[in-house]
Amino acid sequence: MNAIVDTRTLDPKKLIKGATGDWEVIVGLEIHAQVTSQAKLFSGASAEYGGEPNSHVSLVDAAMPGMLPVINEECVAQAVRTGLGLKAQINLRSVFDRKNYFYPDLPQGYQISQFKSPIVGEGEVIVDLPESGGQITVGIERLHLEQDAGKSLHDQSPSLSFVDLNRSGVALMEIVSKPDMRSSEEARAYVTKLRTILRYLGTCDGNMDEGSLRADVNVSVRRPGEGFGTRCEIKNVNSIRFMGQAIEYEARRQIGVLEDGGSITQETRLYDPGKGETRSMRSKEEAHDYRYFPDPDLLPLEFTQDYVNELARHLPELPDNKKARFIKEYGLTPYDAGVLIAEREQADYFEAVAKGRDGKIAANWVINELFGRLNKEGNDVATSPVSADQLGAIVDLIGENVISGKLAKDLFEIIWTEGGDPRQVVEARGMKQVTDMGAIEKAIDAVIAANPDKVAQAQAKPTMIGWFVGMVMKETGGKANPQAVNDLLKTKLGI
Amino acid sequence: MSVDQATVRRIARLARIAVTDEEVPHLMGELNAMLSFVEQLDEVDVTGVEPMTSVTPMAMKKRADIVTDGGYPETVVANAPMTEDHYFLVPKVVE
């Protein structure tokens, strides 16, 4: 273990006000991410979620006597890819240990994990803060491979627990952060970013509802400038929103205890989303004596730097790189680029629309019109009724001055509900912008002739021109080019 | 290194082995005899020698990521004292 270093400078805006002064909250996270793989970490049984009880279980997973674990090489590759994505040190030699404890859904009586020598060492994640603005770097302490446990159901009977071992032996990556976060927002943003990275890499699906991503949250508080306080660990939080709530509650609870003259005991707590509070898990005094030792059934995990290089060579473009490229290549704002890269599918959609077109207009349409509409309908990009080709055609029609921005929104609506080729729809429904100056001039003349009083007003007060533009647009059924109308009106009105 | 009676009780509890008070002194003697036997290794100077986890100088065997096993829940629970719908049933263990 590396010594705990405080990497952050105090930000007064992030402090929590107590009754007797300000407090700083310190958060560190252990994320359990299920490795995307077909089979389990040490057996050939399926790693798929769900399934009939005990149907994805081999005799290895059920810990029958004499069964031996054999490691799944893809799970190793996935851990290395993840380490590379976290800009972390990859250890060419790591060791599997047994972590001993008793629980009915752990048939071996121990979990195979990595204690002293993990497969991945120190790395870092750069995190944008959407709410308070700015950027932080969260250090990664380590990443190790381990087995998941089975699942116990306690609500099926008043006196019995039901045990299903389908999840037993599925590969997990435990990703341990340094205590580098100083607010619930930072913790939420970190998990969001980590999830994005994992999904880009294809090493974890990030599905929190199915438990593919779960967090153990370490929280402590201190007076500004003091050393780290005693932490409490909130176990198994499976939603980013709940994690934020749990941190807020736990920090307040600890501040309350300390301000009342008490002290914090290091313990494990659970978050109850229904009540919005954390509570102590009945602490078993010897719960933490895991008696780790190297698993004699497994040899050290060794691979070459060439193997790592080969995996690195096939890594997809990572979120940070994609964001930088979007800013540079398409002239996007960091904010827009950040929105687009949050999911790989969204970024791919945007690139399909933006290729060979104006990137800013494309981003505007993808983010504001498309994402806005998709969110409203609870849809995502994968099931969007408007394809990237169709949206691209709409952007083209705007760029070619065939339709105005306003008509483009109507056109988007038509394509969303009815589908079709945008060009043909514009043609068929007469939505083309009038760029014929003769027709525009005729409409302007008609408006001027009908409103001599307004003409006088406009000449006295040039901002009145907006009223004329509106009238002319109305006269032309919204199809006139507003810029052309504006320019010609200025000449005609002499302003 | 040697263990006292409290340590013997603690080890037994961690291993979920029921040990009566009468058995403790005897077990303590046995454990301490084993420990002092192993302690002979302390005579060897192992400065600079990396801890060995295996005696076989070979690389770990790996499997391909293919589903080759499972799909026999009735076999998995065959020896369980109590089952229902292929679940293992155990005395309630909720925290």
Side-chain angles (χ1 to χ4, degrees):
Chain A
M1 296 280 148
N2 302 293
I4 299 174
V5 180
D6 192 351
T7 59
R8 302 285 303 274
T9 28
L10 183 69
D11 180 354
K13 288 198 296 295
K14 300 209 163 145
L15 297 180
I16 300 177
K17 280 224 170 333
T20 61
D22 289 342
W23 296 85
E24 188 177 24
V25 60
I26 314 288
V27 182
L29 294 170
E30 291 163 28
I31 304 287
H32 291 90
Q34 186 182 319
V35 174
T36 299
S37 67
Q38 299 296 314
K40 294 183 177 181
L41 182 54
F42 293 114
S43 87
S46 169
E48 199 185 330
Y49 175 77
E52 290 300 309
N54 289 311
S55 61
H56 297 172
V57 179
S58 76
L59 299 180
V60 178
D61 310 315
M64 292 299 169
M67 296 297 115
L68 289 173
V70 181
I71 198 163
N72 179 336
E73 61 186 0
E74 175 63 10
C75 295
V76 174
Q78 293 286 54
V80 172
R81 288 185 190 109
T82 306
L84 291 167
L86 301 175
K87 313 262 180 286
Q89 185 199 319
I90 309 296
N91 295 323
L92 301 182
R93 184 180 192 277
S94 62
V95 176
F96 285 99
D97 299 284
R98 291 186 180 179
K99 177 180 180 178
N100 299 279
Y101 66 94
F102 280 100
Y103 207 73
D105 57 24
L106 186 80
Q108 291 168 147
Y110 57 86
Q111 176 192 33
I112 304 178
S113 181
Q114 296 188 301
F115 185 54
K116 268 192 195 152
S117 312
I119 183 167
V120 175
E122 291 184 301
E124 63 176 41
V125 178
I126 293 168
V127 180
D128 289 323
L129 302 173
E131 290 150 43
S132 58
Q135 198 175 63
I136 56 167
T137 300
V138 176
I140 299 295
E141 170 73 22
R142 58 186 279 159
L143 175 156
H144 65 253
L145 276 169
E146 63 184 25
Q147 298 177 300
D148 205 346
K151 194 171 72 180
S152 303
L153 306 176
H154 304 295
D155 52 3
Q156 307 290 305
S157 143
S159 57
L160 298 166
S161 291
F162 285 46
V163 178
D164 171 16
L165 301 179
N166 280 351
R167 226 177 51 192
S168 167
V170 168
L172 298 179
M173 296 178 282
E174 180 169 330
I175 305 168
V176 182
S177 86
K178 294 183 182 283
D180 282 353
M181 289 152 277
R182 297 290 178 270
S183 69
S184 60
E185 185 206 359
E186 291 187 1
R188 280 185 287 117
Y190 163 72
V191 177
T192 305
K193 180 64 179 285
L194 189 62
R195 184 174 175 274
T196 299
I197 294 171
L198 294 170
R199 285 172 56 82
Y200 266 64
L201 291 166
T203 57
C204 168
D205 66 20
N207 189 331
M208 300 188 89
D209 292 336
E210 293 179 0
S212 300
L213 202 66
R214 324 192 275 272
D216 294 344
V217 189
N218 286 291
V219 179
S220 65
V221 298
R222 67 175 174 191
R223 293 288 190 189
E226 286 184 0
F228 290 119
T230 304
R231 69 192 161 87
C232 290
E233 181 179 18
I234 309 163
K235 277 271 181 205
N236 250 329
V237 187
N238 61 359
S239 117
I240 293 179
R241 194 162 58 91
F242 290 161
M243 186 186 71
Q245 292 168 0
I247 294 168
E248 292 291 335
Y249 176 88
E250 180 60 17
R252 287 268 161 214
R253 185 191 71 83
Q254 293 185 15
I255 291 168
V257 169
L258 293 168
E259 290 193 332
D260 288 346
S263 62
I264 304 297
T265 349
Q266 186 168 339
E267 61 176 354
T268 305
R269 300 178 71 85
L270 273 182
Y271 180 64
D272 180 339
K275 291 190 180 130
E277 61 183 33
T278 64
R279 60 165 184 272
S280 183
M281 289 170 77
R282 214 163 12 97
S283 65
K284 298 160 282 177
E285 65 259 54
E286 278 156 348
H288 288 297
D289 194 344
Y290 292 128
R291 293 151 294 144
Y292 283 98
F293 65 91
D295 191 320
D297 289 342
L298 291 160
L299 287 160
L301 176 58
E302 289 174 303
F303 41 77
T304 62
Q305 187 59 44
D306 284 348
Y307 169 80
V308 177
N309 295 347
E310 189 58 18
L311 289 171
R313 214 162 59 76
H314 291 98
L315 230 49
E317 183 179 33
L318 288 165
D320 288 343
N321 301 350
K322 204 183 271 295
K323 184 178 170 186
R325 186 167 62 79
F326 279 10
I327 293 169
K328 189 162 164 269
E329 248 172 60
Y330 298 106
L332 304 189
T333 62
Y335 179 83
D336 282 355
V339 171
L340 289 169
I341 60 107
E343 296 281 348
R344 197 167 162 180
E345 293 75 18
Q346 292 183 0
D348 290 348
Y349 186 103
F350 163 74
E351 284 223 270
V353 176
K355 268 261 141 36
R357 303 192 173 98
D358 183 317
K360 280 186 198 158
I361 296 178
N364 186 28
W365 276 83
V366 170
I367 295 170
N368 296 323
E369 302 305 322
L370 183 75
F371 289 176
R373 190 64 201 267
L374 288 171
N375 279 341
K376 216 165 80 187
E377 314 254 328
N379 255 334
D380 59 30
V381 150
T383 55
S384 167
V386 178
S387 72
D389 281 350
Q390 287 170 320
L391 191 56
I394 295 175
V395 172
D396 281 342
L397 289 165
I398 303 167
E400 293 160 15
N401 270 326
V402 176
I403 51 171
S404 65
K406 190 193 162 301
L407 276 178
K409 288 188 187 184
D410 296 343
L411 178 60
F412 177 81
E413 196 56 38
I414 292 168
I415 302 297
W416 178 283
T417 46
E418 300 170 29
D421 173 7
R423 268 183 205 281
Q424 280 169 10
V425 170
V426 166
E427 202 68 49
R429 308 207 180 182
M431 296 171 79
K432 270 192 168 170
Q433 183 162 254
V434 178
T435 44
D436 169 5
M437 290 314 275
I440 293 176
E441 187 166 8
K442 229 171 99 188
I444 288 178
D445 288 343
V447 174
I448 288 178
N451 301 282
D453 51 331
K454 300 275 184 190
V455 172
Q457 284 177 28
Q459 277 156 352
K461 190 174 164 240
T463 49
M464 269 292 291
I465 198 168
W467 182 84
F468 278 93
V469 174
M471 287 305 284
V472 174
M473 292 305 286
K474 212 162 141 190
E475 189 86 2
T476 58
K479 288 183 280 186
N481 179 326
Q483 192 55 50
V485 173
N486 200 54
D487 292 347
L488 195 55
L489 263 171
K490 274 188 183 161
T491 326
K492 292 260 176 192
L493 294 170
I495 55 177
Chain B
M1 186 186 174
S2 65
V3 294
D4 57 12
Q5 296 205 8
T7 308
V8 172
R9 285 197 190 87
R10 188 156 164 272
I11 294 167
R13 191 153 83 222
L14 284 170
R16 299 298 188 277
I17 297 170
V19 170
T20 61
D21 284 347
E22 295 77 63
E23 289 171 302
V24 169
H26 172 69
L27 284 170
M28 187 182 81
E30 282 203 347
L31 284 173
N32 283 332
M34 287 180 222
L35 284 168
S36 65
F37 175 72
V38 173
E39 262 167 18
Q40 293 178 61
L41 291 172
D42 287 350
E43 292 166 19
V44 185
D45 182 7
V46 290
T47 318
V49 178
E50 221 180 295
M52 189 172 67
T53 48
S54 165
V55 291
T56 46
M58 54 188 272
M60 180 159 65
K61 207 180 152 228
K62 295 176 181 144
R63 72 163 75 234
D65 184 29
I66 302 165
V67 177
T68 55
D69 209 346
Y72 42 76
E74 56 294 326
T75 308
V76 169
V77 300
N79 295 331
M82 235 192 310
T83 68
E84 189 178 313
D85 299 334
H86 296 149
Y87 281 103
F88 292 96
L89 302 193
V90 300
K92 197 149 197 149
V93 284
V94 73
E95 290 254 356

